[in-house]
Amino acid sequence: MDDELKVLVVGCGAMSNKWLGVAEKELRIVGLVDIQRENAERRAKEYGIRNERVFEDLDAALKSTRPDMVFDCTVPEAHYEVTMKALSAGCHVLSEKPLADSMEHAKEMVDKARRTGKLYAVMQNRRYLATAPATTEFINSGVIGDITTINVDFYMGAHFKGFRTEMKHPLLLDMAIHTFDQARQLTAADPLEVYCKAFNPKNSWYAGNASAMCVFQMTNDIVFNYRGSWCSEGYITPWAGSWRIIGTRGTVLWAEGTPRAEVVDYEEDGLRCRMKERKPDKPPLKVTGHEACIKEFIECVGRGGRPQTVGEDNIKSLAMVFGAIESAEAGHPVSIV
Ligand SMILES: NC(=O)c1ccc[n+]([C@@H]2O[C@H](COP(=O)([O-])OP(=O)(O)OC[C@H]3O[C@@H](n4cnc5c(N)ncnc54)[C@H](O)[C@@H]3O)[C@@H](O)[C@H]2O)c1
């Protein structure tokens, strides 16, 4: 009996290479879909997939290949249509971030997954950075006491071509979702309110706002402060950003590598203190990024369970993005429900 799970990959642009590399090891790739046929044909050639398995039309591909799951690697504006069609066809869906291009679409997609009983999750590969789980556990061990404040800087001079250059809020919609989701991973706190100033610096090569500063009020009395830019030249930060997490007894610094904490150690009279350095015990992940997220999803499809980036939870990270955009456009703080 053939018990290999079948996957249809939709969207064969830049990111699809990462997905196909994992898919060819773990699943049977039954088809490739792209509205620009030449993109799908190029990937088909690279991955030894026969030409009759290449489609321009998703409906035809779903009908012909009957996959167990769909990997959606299309641009953000297409995620709604692809996911809704795939769920309707009885497929599980793992989609590239961001979940959707609007909260209305996102709610419909999450609701559709609930009604069809299919698994629907989103690629948030930063959760699977080698030291992200160790950093989360380190913070949750209470090493710095209760978290009060998180500051993250993300500064890149990214000279992209393609869909980002035309988006109204390329930083917030396409990139900040990673950092917002990671803040939720690290703290287990959820957003309540945001004030955002989004702007486009005069040297920017983007049509929309390439820079933003956001202050979120999170649950558990945490204030999360995000500063970022896609068009900042010089002294760039790591892709995952540069993090300062402040607690009642100390501070954790993290920037993709091993996090470190400086923790206050009070003397008995409570007046003098000295600082001690601490590092986490948990080892880094061996399988990371896209591969780890895709494998977790496949495991949950096969054996049951909920991946950590399941749509009904990930929609809270997306709400941070749309809350920030709404606040930037309104010019005042907005609540996030
Ligand atoms: N997780 C990450 O680290 C990461 C990094 C970069 C991009 N992304 C995300 O990956 C997604 C794709 O980005 P990319 O850089 O590969 O973009 P891309 O433009 O290189 O590729 C997108 C492909 O989707 C195709 N497409 C568009 N609409 C379609 C539709 N309705 N049906 C079928 N195909 C369609 C396009 O023709 C194109 O080939 C985006 O959502 C982006 O935000 C994620």
Side-chain angles (χ1 to χ4, degrees):
M1 197 181 96
D2 180 7
D3 58 0
E4 215 178 5
L5 290 166
K6 296 184 285 178
V7 64
L8 178 69
V9 177
V10 187
C12 298
M15 284 314 289
S16 65
N17 200 27
K18 276 201 181 214
W19 291 69
L20 284 162
V22 183
E24 76 170 350
K25 283 190 257 163
E26 305 291 327
L27 303 161
R28 180 140 63 92
I29 303 169
V30 290
L32 299 178
V33 185
D34 202 299
I35 50 171
Q36 294 185 54
R37 190 178 174 87
E38 63 277 15
N39 289 355
E41 281 175 347
R42 193 185 63 241
R43 291 287 182 232
K45 208 164 165 194
E46 287 165 4
Y47 285 89
I49 295 162
R50 293 198 315 273
N51 230 14
E52 62 264 29
R53 297 271 175 192
V54 170
F55 301 84
E56 281 164 67
D57 180 56
L58 176 58
D59 295 315
L62 287 165
K63 206 166 160 206
S64 157
T65 63
R66 305 210 164 276
D68 299 294
M69 63 182 83
V70 165
F71 287 170
D72 179 1
C73 308
T74 63
V75 294
E77 294 70 28
H79 292 174
Y80 170 77
E81 189 194 347
V82 172
T83 292
M84 294 298 275
K85 283 187 174 178
L87 289 170
S88 297
C91 304
H92 305 284
V93 180
L94 182 61
S95 165
E96 258 301 351
K97 48 57 57 173
L99 192 156
D101 59 349
S102 72
M103 281 310 284
E104 291 69 32
H105 279 167
K107 284 176 192 158
E108 272 188 62
M109 291 153 82
V110 168
D111 188 52
K112 182 83 179 172
R114 189 183 50 74
R115 283 188 285 114
T116 56
K118 294 293 163 186
L119 205 51
Y120 167 50
V122 179
M123 173 56 64
Q124 294 287 179
N125 41 309
R126 296 286 164 73
R127 283 187 177 239
Y128 307 84
L129 283 171
T131 55
T135 306
T136 305
E137 198 176 291
F138 192 41
I139 293 165
N140 289 326
S141 72
V143 64
I144 54 169
D146 294 341
I147 300 166
T148 64
T149 316
I150 306 173
N151 290 350
V152 187
D153 278 355
F154 171 85
Y155 284 97
M156 284 281 162
H159 291 260
F160 290 117
K161 293 192 173 66
F163 69 92
R164 293 177 188 86
T165 54
E166 296 310 317
M167 289 168 97
K168 199 169 173 199
H169 292 282
L171 179 79
L172 289 170
L173 186 57
D174 189 58
M175 191 62 206
I177 181 72
H178 280 302
T179 317
F180 296 173
D181 185 63
Q182 191 122 58
R184 292 186 54 240
Q185 175 193 26
L186 292 172
T187 61
D190 286 329
L192 296 171
E193 190 188 76
V194 59
Y195 174 62
C196 172
K197 166 85 184 163
F199 58 105
N200 206 20
K202 62 179 164 188
N203 67 303
S204 174
W205 47 94
Y206 295 82
N209 287 326
S211 298
M213 294 179 188
C214 311
V215 180
F216 290 93
Q217 178 61 56
M218 308 289 285
T219 53
N220 304 336
D221 269 346
I222 296 170
V223 175
F224 165 42
N225 176 18
Y226 170 86
R227 306 187 299 185
S229 179
W230 264 138
C231 66
S232 166
E233 305 285 25
Y235 290 126
I236 59 169
T237 60
W239 279 93
S242 178
W243 295 71
R244 173 179 289 267
I245 299 144
I246 306 168
T248 48
R249 294 184 47 239
T251 293
V252 167
L253 295 182
W254 183 50
E256 286 185 10
T258 306
R260 58 188 211 279
E262 202 172 50
V263 179
V264 75
D265 193 18
Y266 287 103
E267 300 277 319
E268 281 214 337
D269 62 11
L271 293 176
R272 280 168 302 159
C273 64
R274 54 204 167 95
M275 288 293 177
K276 275 191 176 168
E277 276 249 324
R278 304 267 165 82
K279 294 217 165 135
D281 301 327
K282 194 179 169 83
L285 293 178
K286 289 201 173 84
V287 179
T288 60
H290 275 72
E291 184 176 5
C293 187
I294 294 169
K295 281 186 167 167
E296 185 179 289
F297 181 79
I298 296 170
E299 179 93 9
C300 291
V301 168
R303 300 208 189 142
R306 246 167 71 103
Q308 47 175 314
T309 65
V310 71
E312 68 202 52
D313 182 73
N314 192 254
I315 197 169
K316 294 182 194 165
S317 302
L318 192 75
M320 295 171 79
V321 170
F322 285 106
I325 290 174
E326 189 188 333
S327 165
E329 292 182 351
H332 57 70
V334 300
S335 69
I336 300 171
V337 283

